[in-house]
């Protein structure tokens, strides 16, 4: 059964497939509890809402016997860090430069689940992406897809840092692949690469300091202590992923919906800052960026403008000092004060 499922998953466009029991050890719950008790989740209250289900797959679905962990390669064509030197341009995380991966992965998961239901009648399946309370990375490691690196993300020997994850829970009893072991060794490049020093230690991320959290999950003004270090990163951050030595084995994604759009590879800050709500929605239709809304997005763009050192962007920021959204107006004032100092 496992061999047939693997072949079908690969035919559907997944790049990595593994199998594990629908069970996680107590260390997963302990690690999650320590993270939450330290308040390192910040405003992501949803992480604490269903802790038991997140830590134990069978608490999410008691009938589950096996988990099929699936990975989809989203490896970039270009070095994602190269845009950081183009200060009048915006750095958008690799995963958000085209279609929302949730939609792409879930569509393929459902196709695999339908095929399984037809192939083994009487069995049952459920599909999950990271919008559900599933510990995807520990399950991915248990199924042999990779291991959780010191940056807490999954690292693959075949795809480096660039795997989207999804799961099929099933009542079928499938032969486990075997767990992957940690291959980080003494390397700590990901930890030292973080612009805001968000890692409090190996395998320990304080989300409140993370640029991905600050640009996406954080709703208010960005704390001033992080603004300069954020540079021109306006949605997410790839630094800790991009410096991983295992990326030498990575390849460019073959999924068309994950290939970077030309207009999102290094867009001009001046053009992004002037987006109103309608233009923002039109530009990011079908994109994960759309979910943060125009105000948070323009807040991020203005932060990057303040870091640009480009005096020609001063009028752009000045026009937004009176914006109706205070997070935008606050960021505009900061950007103007920064640019006026150059």
């Amino acid at each position: 059964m496992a061999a047939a499922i693997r072949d079908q998953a690969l035919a559907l466009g997944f790049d990595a497939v593994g199998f594990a029991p629908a069970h996680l050890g107590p260390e997963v719950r302990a690690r999650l509890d320590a993270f939450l008790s330290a308040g390192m989740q910040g405003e992501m209250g949803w992480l604490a809402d269903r802790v038991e289900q997140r830590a134990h797959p069978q608490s999410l679905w008691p009938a589950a016997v096996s988990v099929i962990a699936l990975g989809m390669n989203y490896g970039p064509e270009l070095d994602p860090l190269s845009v950081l030197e183009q200060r009048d341009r915006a750095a958008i995380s690799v995963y958000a430069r085209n279609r929302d991966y949730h939609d792409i992965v879930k569509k393929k998961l459902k196709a695999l689940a339908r095929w399984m239901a037809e192939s083994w009648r009487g069995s049952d399946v459920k599909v999950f992406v990271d919008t559900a309370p599933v510990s995807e990375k520990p399950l991915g490691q248990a199924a042999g897809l990779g291991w959780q690196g010191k940056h807490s993300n999954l690292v693959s020997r075949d795809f480096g840092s660039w795997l989207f994850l999804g799961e099929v829970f099933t009542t079928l009893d499938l032969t486990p692949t075997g767990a992957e072991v940690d291959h980080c060794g003494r390397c700590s490049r990901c930890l030292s690469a973080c612009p805001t020093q968000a890692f409090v230690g190996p395998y320990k991320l304080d989300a409140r300091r993370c640029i991905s959290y600050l640009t996406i999950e954080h709703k208010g003004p960005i704390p001033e202590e992080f603004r300069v270090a954020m540079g021109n990163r306006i949605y997410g951050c790839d630094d800790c992923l991009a410096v991983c030595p295992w990326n030498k084995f990575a390849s460019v994604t073959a999924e068309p919906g994950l290939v970077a759009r030309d207009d999102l590879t290094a867009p001009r800050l001046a053009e992004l800052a002037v987006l109103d709500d309608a233009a923002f929605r039109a530009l990011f239709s079908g994109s994960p960026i759309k979910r943060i809304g125009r105000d948070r997005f323009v807040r991020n763009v203005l932060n990057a403008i303040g870091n640009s050192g480009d005096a020609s962007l001063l009028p752009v920021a000045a026009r937004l000092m009176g914006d109706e959204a205070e997070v935008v107006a606050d960021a505009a004032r900061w950007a103007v004060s920064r640019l006026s100092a150059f």
Side-chain angles (χ1 to χ4, degrees), residues 18-97:
F19 307 89
H23 174 77
L24 288 171
E27 69 280 358
V28 174
R29 176 62 185 266
R31 190 169 170 177
L32 180 57
D33 285 344
F35 176 78
L36 294 171
S37 63
M40 290 192 288
Q41 77 277 19
E43 296 174 32
M44 297 183 291
W46 44 269
L47 280 171
D49 289 343
R50 300 167 74 180
V51 174
E52 183 67 20
Q53 292 178 322
R54 195 174 297 278
H56 302 293
Q58 289 176 335
S59 293
L60 182 60
W61 186 34
V65 175
S66 303
V67 174
I68 307 164
L70 300 127
M72 184 174 293
N73 173 36
Y74 71 104
E77 183 177 4
L78 303 173
D79 177 6
L81 302 185
S82 61
V83 69
L84 299 179
E85 302 303 318
Q86 304 177 56
R87 309 297 282 184
D88 65 330
R89 304 295 182 112
I92 294 173
S93 185
V94 168
Y95 88 88
R97 294 181 181 180

Side-chain angles (χ1 to χ4, degrees), residues 267-329:
R268 295 183 181 278
L269 294 172
E271 296 174 2
L272 299 177
V274 298
L275 294 175
D276 60 14
D277 188 64
F280 169 81
R281 290 176 176 275
L283 179 61
F284 295 111
S285 176
S287 163
I289 297 175
K290 184 179 178 180
R291 80 177 183 89
I292 69 170
R294 175 263 178 187
D295 295 346
R296 263 188 279 176
F297 179 78
V298 175
R299 171 202 66 182
N300 299 341
V301 173
L302 285 164
N303 190 79
I305 286 176
N307 290 325
S308 69
D310 187 345
S312 70
L313 294 174
L314 184 56
V316 178
R319 283 195 293 271
L320 290 164
M321 291 174 66
D323 195 89
E324 292 183 0
E326 178 54 28
V327 290
V328 174

Side-chain angles (χ1 to χ4, degrees), residues 188-204:
S188 59
R189 293 187 194 179
C190 59
L191 307 182
S192 57
C194 180
T196 53
Q197 300 180 323
F199 295 103
V200 297
Y203 312 100
K204 296 179 180 179

Side-chain angles (χ1 to χ4, degrees), residues 43 57 70 90 95 106 136 148-149 219:
E43 296 174 32
L70 300 127
Y95 88 88
K106 196 160 194 176
E136 292 195 304
Q148 279 191 266
K219 297 179 176 62

